[in-house]
Amino acid sequence: MPKRCKFTENQWEGKIKKPLFCFGRAFAARQKAASRPAGMPASRLGSFCYAFFCYRRQFALTLQSTYNKHDKRMEQRLVIYNTLTRSKQPFVPLHAPNVGMYVCGPTVYGDPHLGHARPAITFDIVFRYLRHLGYKVRYVRNITDVGHLEHDADEGDDKIEKKARLEQLEPMEVAQHYTNRYHDAMRALNVLPPSIEPHASGHIIEQEELVRQIMDNGYAYESNGSIYFDVEKYNHDHHYGVLSGRNIDDVKDASRELDGVGEKRHQVDFALWKKAQPEHIMRWPSPWSNGFPGWHCECTAMGRKYLGAEFDIHGGGMDLVFPHHECEIAQSVASQGDDMVHYWMHNNMITINGQKMGKSLGNFITLDEFFTGSNKTLAQAYSPMTIRFFILQAHYRSTVDFSNEALQAAEKGLTRLMDAVHGLEKITPGKASTVDVKTLRAKCYEAMNDDLNSPIVIAHLFDGARMINNIIAGNDTITAEDLQELKETFYLFCFDILGLKEENNSNEEREAAFGKVVDMLLEERIKAKANKDWATSDKIRDELTALGFAIKDTKDGCEWKLNK
């Protein structure tokens, strides 16, 4: 007898119930056109087919289990906070085991800074954990290289074009240069590349089609060659502000007077397509004018193209909730009738003295400056893994305030954790365990499943580090089986899920320290020779030679090298 396989409600609804219901309806329709048993109306026959399979649900699942292997990792009950509902919800993918995730990427007109690192690392953890649970994740993270005007407004310079004029470059040169710089920083932070990284400038056709759909449905209007979203009309039929919690009157009251607002029917309306002014370099033909898409269009259009009309997760920074993501929801509902996204996830901001870090505020520190220590605000250089660990020590929905003291504490904590990992190789297993390692993995999973609570995972790993240190000190013992479990848990959560890694510079620093020790020993040898203490001189030379060092006496003292 085949074993029974448990299916989630989502799998039942999407993979079995819906297809069988469709089968019943289609079967009824065919019977309506052809002959059917007397006294059996078409609708009743279709309902009979559907009811038969509903009541035989467990039988169908049992047969299915013959062909599907059940992955125990997918038994983990992941709960994530949905900004839309303002609550934690069980994560149930639309089409398990497939998961679609879209995250707003950078506008590439300057070097990436610490504020860029936080969403990248946050959703890298989401990506890593979902893959670990056995899901097949299509992760889309865009590059904004056109249409993002200054101050997130509908007027003013395109941020990339402005940079291009200042540096006397083509806009695409600017975009490519800073895209490359962003990728370099992400590699240093050990952020996995997305499955797809679409550029806004490469999807103008899709954005124009989105604008057409919104216009056809009556939620946009043309004004002097530009197209604007009619927020008041949309709000009359739906709800503008469902994500951010704002109502349209508050938005109108908070709106600033902007140049060109006369093109709009209402001040709260936002641009879907902008007619290019003569000096504007980046422009494309459209049915309305030569121009460029509004900033909010790209994510709606590209998310739909690569993830479908409905997908699981849309992520980004908290500062994108309004207006960007609010406008995305309005565009989605206005074009297709419903919101494409099932879970909206947002990381909180990194602050300096309580103020958001950002290019527009001029208070940012680039990642390269962190890595080299070249910013006057920094007391020292901080390695990429120190930055990653610093960000992971706080829950992604809490704010993180930058300070040298906090980064130095993160550096010490990371060193302590990596020392524990190295210590695992020094342990000789015993016949019995006086430590409890069985629950460590379960505790780490519990924390990850509770809205990806990385600081609690790190706290549990520090508990494990204390366990390792006590074993090395001889205060506790551990069996070979428990040691293997401890190793697997540390490697899984430190490296695979949290994405930490050994850094080359730490090896270089270690080698430099070893070199200083060798130099010190050879100075003692020179002193011994000067004192005609030949026994000590020969002992130091012989011990270093046994360790693999080649010692060569010269007229100025001695030289050494490590034999390979």
Side-chain angles (χ1 to χ4, degrees):
M1 287 288 291
K3 295 180 180 179
R4 289 187 176 185
C5 178
K6 296 180 181 178
F7 278 72
T8 66
E9 191 64 26
N10 180 67
Q11 289 171 316
W12 160 248
E13 293 289 338
K15 292 189 173 181
I16 300 174
K17 176 181 173 181
K18 186 175 179 180
L20 293 178
F21 179 70
C22 292
F23 166 77
R25 289 200 306 180
F27 187 73
R30 286 196 300 271
Q31 290 298 317
K32 186 175 181 179
S35 59
R36 58 180 177 269
M40 177 70 77
S43 58
R44 283 182 58 201
L45 184 57
S47 299
F48 170 78
C49 293
Y50 171 54
F52 172 79
F53 285 109
C54 282
Y55 286 116
R56 290 296 187 176
R57 171 181 177 180
Q58 190 60 54
F59 174 71
L61 296 179
T62 304
L63 290 178
Q64 181 108 0
S65 69
T66 307
Y67 303 101
N68 291 342
K69 292 182 178 179
H70 188 50
D71 190 340
K72 289 188 177 180
R73 289 175 301 178
M74 293 184 68
E75 292 178 349
Q76 298 296 330
R77 300 289 293 176
L78 174 61
V79 173
I80 59 178
Y81 184 86
N82 189 348
T83 309
L84 185 66
T85 62
R86 295 162 182 77
S87 64
K88 292 181 183 179
Q89 293 180 304
F91 177 66
V92 182
L94 285 164
H95 307 291
N98 299 301
V99 171
M101 180 169 74
Y102 188 102
V103 174
C104 291
T107 301
V108 283
Y109 69 103
D111 277 330
H113 56 72
L114 191 60
H116 291 118
R118 192 168 198 196
I121 291 170
T122 294
F123 292 99
D124 183 58
I125 297 297
V126 178
F127 186 32
R128 287 172 179 271
Y129 192 56
L130 288 174
R131 294 206 310 181
H132 168 69
L133 294 181
Y135 294 111
K136 297 176 182 177
V137 185
R138 177 176 289 177
Y139 175 18
V140 181
R141 187 185 66 207
N142 69 299
I143 295 290
T144 297
D145 56 0
V146 65
H148 196 166
L149 304 185
E150 291 185 294
H151 313 300
D152 300 343
D154 289 333
E155 300 297 330
D157 286 334
D158 183 292
K159 294 183 177 184
I160 294 170
E161 278 205 12
K162 182 177 180 180
K163 188 77 169 183
R165 283 196 294 273
L166 289 172
E167 299 187 5
Q168 296 184 328
L169 296 170
E170 282 290 327
M172 285 298 109
E173 282 186 277
V174 172
Q176 188 63 57
H177 173 74
Y178 289 113
T179 298
N180 294 342
R181 297 278 289 173
Y182 178 77
H183 288 160
D184 291 343
M186 294 305 104
R187 278 190 290 270
L189 292 168
N190 204 28
V191 170
L192 298 175
S195 314
I196 303 172
E197 191 173 56
H199 291 229
S201 62
H203 296 77
I204 302 298
I205 293 173
E206 289 81 1
Q207 293 178 74
E208 287 185 11
E209 178 59 28
L210 172 68
V211 175
R212 282 194 206 94
Q213 291 170 348
I214 295 172
M215 290 191 75
D216 290 345
N217 291 336
Y219 293 109
Y221 57 90
E222 183 176 354
S223 178
N224 298 327
S226 294
I227 308 298
Y228 292 98
F229 191 96
D230 193 334
V231 172
E232 289 208 0
K233 182 174 181 182
Y234 172 85
N235 188 63
H236 180 269
D237 297 338
H238 304 284
H239 179 198
Y240 184 77
V242 64
L243 184 67
S244 62
R246 304 189 186 197
N247 65 60
I248 195 169
D249 293 327
D250 293 337
V251 174
K252 282 192 286 190
D253 291 341
S255 296
R256 295 178 290 112
E257 289 294 335
L258 300 170
D259 291 336
V261 77
E263 286 190 348
K264 303 178 182 180
R265 292 178 184 170
H266 315 288
Q267 198 166 356
V268 292
D269 296 347
F270 59 89
L272 299 173
W273 183 267
K274 284 292 291 180
K275 180 181 179 180
Q277 298 303 310
E279 68 275 9
H280 205 95
I281 303 170
M282 291 190 286
R283 60 178 66 209
W284 289 264
S286 79
W288 316 288
S289 63
N290 283 347
F292 54 92
W295 172 41
H296 308 303
C297 288
E298 62 179 280
C299 293
T300 306
M302 294 190 294
R304 182 183 296 168
K305 179 179 176 68
Y306 295 109
L307 299 175
E310 290 184 79
F311 57 89
D312 299 295
I313 297 171
H314 193 325
M318 192 75 75
D319 55 324
L320 297 179
V321 171
F322 187 89
H324 186 46
H325 288 167
E326 195 71 74
C327 293
E328 280 193 56
I329 291 177
Q331 289 171 159
S332 174
V333 175
S335 61
Q336 69 177 38
D338 57 9
D339 183 7
M340 302 192 289
V341 180
H342 282 229
Y343 300 89
W344 286 90
M345 296 182 68
H346 295 92
N347 63 272
N348 217 320
M349 295 176 288
I350 291 182
T351 58
I352 296 182
N353 298 322
Q355 187 179 38
K356 173 199 166 185
M357 177 183 286
K359 288 184 189 138
S360 58
L361 297 173
N363 63 349
F364 65 94
I365 303 172
T366 70
L367 290 171
D368 190 60
E369 287 172 333
F370 274 104
F371 302 158
T372 61
S374 57
N375 189 293
K376 64 181 180 181
T377 310
L378 302 174
Q380 63 180 75
Y382 299 98
S383 73
M385 285 304 99
T386 298
I387 298 297
R388 186 178 181 103
F389 191 72
F390 167 68
I391 288 172
L392 291 175
Q393 280 185 305
H395 189 270
Y396 76 90
R397 287 191 289 114
S398 64
T399 56
V400 175
D401 197 54
F402 157 79
S403 70
N404 279 289
E405 293 76 15
L407 278 167
Q408 288 163 356
E411 186 176 56
K412 290 178 182 177
L414 177 62
T415 299
R416 179 181 160 203
L417 198 59
M418 290 298 102
D419 286 347
V421 173
H422 298 146
L424 286 165
E425 302 304 322
K426 301 176 184 177
I427 294 175
T428 301
K431 294 181 179 179
S433 288
T434 59
V435 293
D436 178 18
V437 303
K438 304 294 186 185
T439 59
L440 181 60
R441 186 192 298 248
K443 289 177 180 177
C444 289
Y445 270 128
E446 183 180 4
M448 285 301 296
N449 290 333
D450 184 15
D451 196 27
L452 306 153
N453 204 329
S454 60
I456 300 299
V457 174
I458 290 170
H460 291 319
L461 291 174
F462 277 141
D463 290 339
R466 281 191 288 272
M467 198 183 299
I468 292 166
N469 293 334
N470 281 331
I471 295 169
I472 292 173
N475 300 326
D476 284 304
T477 60
I478 190 170
T479 64
E481 180 184 359
D482 283 351
L483 177 59
Q484 185 61 30
E485 168 65 16
L486 195 56
K487 285 182 179 180
E488 289 178 1
T489 300
F490 261 78
Y491 294 156
L492 170 62
F493 285 95
C494 282
F495 302 128
D496 295 348
I497 294 175
L498 295 183
L500 301 171
K501 68 175 182 179
E502 296 281 0
E503 293 184 291
N504 293 331
N505 62 341
S506 62
N507 293 331
E508 292 169 3
E509 291 168 2
R510 194 177 295 115
E511 288 178 11
F514 289 155
K516 290 177 181 178
V517 171
V518 174
D519 288 338
M520 183 180 66
L521 287 172
L522 290 176
E523 286 175 8
E524 293 299 315
R525 181 172 177 265
I526 291 171
K527 290 178 183 178
K529 289 175 71 175
N531 295 328
K532 296 184 179 181
D533 183 358
W534 309 117
T536 300
S537 172
D538 291 345
K539 180 177 175 61
I540 292 173
R541 181 198 61 204
D542 293 343
E543 290 289 344
L544 288 173
T545 300
L547 292 171
F549 293 93
I551 310 299
K552 180 181 179 181
D553 290 314
T554 67
K555 63 179 181 178
D556 298 320
C558 64
E559 297 176 350
W560 65 270
K561 68 176 182 178
L562 182 61
N563 292 322
K564 294 182 179 180

